[in-house]
């Protein structure tokens, strides 16, 4: 479950490197990505689901710790960020006939579009800052997966290129199970978060996040530092990315929860436990036509969490 500290975020050298991330995602390019794309009460009830499978994923700089195999079905997947940088966990399901060795080779020698040519993203716990934890519920179908992090370091190197990827085998035979009961459903569109609440109460929530777009999308929920407005944060993101030689500036917000980049049709349930404060949802994935990050096209919105 995503948990949020009572303290407002303070900017340090571990603050969410949004500007660097924007630069590397723009570097993927529209042409590259186009080749891969042809309540409260509900969460309380889910918390008491005795038959819910659970999977713990620990993120470090730069590696994942997780079991080698898990049974199929609805699973609470919690990412614990023990690294000094921001991380997420993308569950890449390998296409039929693709081996783990082939994926590893592509990850080592090719760029991100090559990975999507042989796999698709089922989503996963979204980007979170150092010391935080985030949970999503996913319906893991049987097959071979690779769990990867595509967040870049300060020099723009994607973490999976630095060894942050791990194989996972999902075993068993898929069978009918009760669908998690969500407070609301958020559709990831081109280019907005449909039905994203602008005001919610502090505490526990379960959001069903569905990518109904033909493009890859994510939903990162970031918390603003005290005294920083949504418009100020938006202006920071809209500014041109720093040059390669310029140091990456820290920013006055931290990523606390969400769903990792999801392929079209993917569904995640984001489990949230939020403290009062000002937040915003954002998608950094680039548009397949223009190459602009989706937030520049409107996929960014404020969320106020009240008492």
């Amino acid at each position: 479950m995503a948990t949020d500290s009572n303290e407002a975020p303070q900017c340090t050298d571990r603050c969410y490197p949004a500007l660097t991330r924007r630069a590397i995602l723009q570097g993927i390019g529209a042409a590259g990505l186009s080749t891969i794309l042809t309540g409260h009460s509900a969460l309380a009830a889910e918390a008491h689901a005795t038959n819910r499978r659970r999977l713990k994923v620990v993120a470090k700089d730069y590696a994942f710790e997780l079991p080698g195999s898990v049974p199929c079905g609805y699973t609470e997947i919690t990412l614990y960020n023990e690294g000094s940088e921001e991380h997420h966990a993308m569950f890449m399901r390998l296409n039929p006939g693709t081996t783990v060795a082939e994926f590893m080779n592509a990850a080592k020698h090719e760029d991100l579009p090559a990975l999507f040519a042989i796999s698709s993203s089922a989503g996963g716990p979204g980007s979170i800052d150092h010391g935080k934890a985030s949970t999503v519920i996913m319906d893991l179908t049987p097959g071979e997966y690779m769990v990867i992090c595509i967040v870049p370091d300060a020099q723009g190197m994607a973490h999976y290129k630095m060894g942050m990827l791990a194989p996972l085998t999902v075993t068993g035979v898929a069978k009918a199970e009760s669908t998690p009961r969500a407070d609301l459903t958020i559709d990831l569109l081109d280019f907005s978060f449909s039905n994203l609440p602008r005001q919610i109460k502090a505490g526990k929530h379960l959001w069903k996040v569905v990518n109904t777009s033909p493009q890859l999308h994510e939903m990162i929920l970031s918390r603003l530092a005290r005294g920083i407005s949504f418009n100020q944060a938006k202006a920071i993101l809209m500014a041109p990315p720093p040059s390669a030689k310029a140091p990456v500036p820290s920013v006055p917000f931290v990523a606390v929860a969400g769903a990792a980049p999801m392929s079209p049709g993917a569904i995640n349930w984001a489990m949230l436990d939020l403290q009062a404060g000002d937040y915003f949802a954002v998608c950094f994935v680039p548009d397949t036509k223009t190459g602009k990050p989706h937030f520049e096209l409107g996929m960014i919105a404020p969320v106020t969490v009240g008492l």
Side-chain angles (χ1 to χ4, degrees), residues 16-157:
Y16 178 70
L19 303 181
T20 300
R21 179 167 183 180
R22 172 185 174 180
I24 191 172
L25 285 174
Q26 283 185 295
I28 294 172
L33 277 178
S34 65
T35 65
I36 66 174
L37 301 171
T38 46
H40 223 77
S41 59
L43 183 53
E46 288 298 329
H48 292 89
T50 58
N51 61 344
R52 180 75 69 218
R53 302 168 188 83
R54 290 174 172 82
L55 172 60
K56 177 181 177 180
V57 181
V58 177
K60 299 186 177 182
D61 303 334
Y62 301 95
F64 285 116
E65 293 180 359
L66 71 160
S69 65
V70 294
C72 64
Y74 287 106
T75 305
E76 288 183 14
I77 303 172
T78 301
L79 175 69
Y80 297 90
N81 188 353
E82 296 183 0
S84 62
E85 300 182 25
E86 173 203 355
H87 295 297
H88 63 201
M90 286 176 63
F91 282 66
M92 304 291 289
R93 191 175 191 279
L94 275 56
N95 293 347
T98 299
T99 67
V100 169
E102 289 171 334
F103 187 100
M104 295 285 285
N105 184 66
K108 182 177 181 179
H109 299 289
E110 305 290 343
D111 292 326
L112 192 59
L115 303 186
F116 279 94
I118 57 176
S119 63
S120 61
S121 177
S127 296
I128 51 174
D129 196 33
H130 163 81
K132 297 192 177 297
S134 180
T135 300
V136 297
I137 300 173
M138 297 174 62
D139 185 8
L140 294 176
T141 57
E144 298 295 331
Y145 293 73
M146 291 294 297
V147 180
I148 73 172
C149 180
I150 68 170
V151 176
D153 70 358
Q155 287 70 47
M157 176 70 75

Side-chain angles (χ1 to χ4, degrees), residues 70-269:
V70 294
C72 64
Y74 287 106
T75 305
E76 288 183 14
I77 303 172
T78 301
L79 175 69
Y80 297 90
N81 188 353
E82 296 183 0
S84 62
E85 300 182 25
E86 173 203 355
H87 295 297
H88 63 201
M90 286 176 63
F91 282 66
M92 304 291 289
R93 191 175 191 279
L94 275 56
N95 293 347
T98 299
T99 67
V100 169
E102 289 171 334
F103 187 100
M104 295 285 285
N105 184 66
K108 182 177 181 179
H109 299 289
E110 305 290 343
D111 292 326
L112 192 59
L115 303 186
F116 279 94
I118 57 176
S119 63
S120 61
S121 177
S127 296
I128 51 174
D129 196 33
H130 163 81
K132 297 192 177 297
S134 180
T135 300
V136 297
I137 300 173
M138 297 174 62
D139 185 8
L140 294 176
T141 57
E144 298 295 331
Y145 293 73
M146 291 294 297
V147 180
I148 73 172
C149 180
I150 68 170
V151 176
D153 70 358
Q155 287 70 47
M157 176 70 75
H159 292 167
Y160 77 87
K161 289 282 190 183
M162 305 166 73
M164 201 163 183
L165 71 175
L168 176 70
T169 300
V170 177
T171 62
V173 178
K175 58 183 179 181
E177 295 185 83
S178 298
T179 302
R181 292 177 290 172
D183 297 305
L184 53 85
T185 297
I186 298 172
D187 291 319
L188 307 183
L189 307 178
D190 298 341
F191 299 96
S192 64
F193 299 100
S194 176
N195 203 37
L196 179 74
R198 292 302 179 95
Q199 292 187 329
I200 59 174
K201 290 185 177 181
K204 298 178 180 180
H205 302 267
L206 183 64
W207 293 355
K208 182 179 180 180
V209 183
V210 184
N211 186 0
T212 55
S213 160
Q215 296 198 38
L216 193 73
H217 285 300
E218 66 182 343
M219 185 189 74
I220 300 173
L221 193 63
S222 292
R223 188 177 182 187
L224 295 165
R226 289 193 185 97
I228 300 298
S229 70
F230 167 71
N231 286 334
Q232 287 174 310
K234 187 175 180 180
I236 291 172
L237 293 176
M238 292 293 184
S243 66
K245 295 182 179 180
V248 178
S250 61
V251 290
F253 46 85
V254 291
V256 298
M262 304 162 59
S263 292
I267 302 173
N268 285 193
W269 286 261

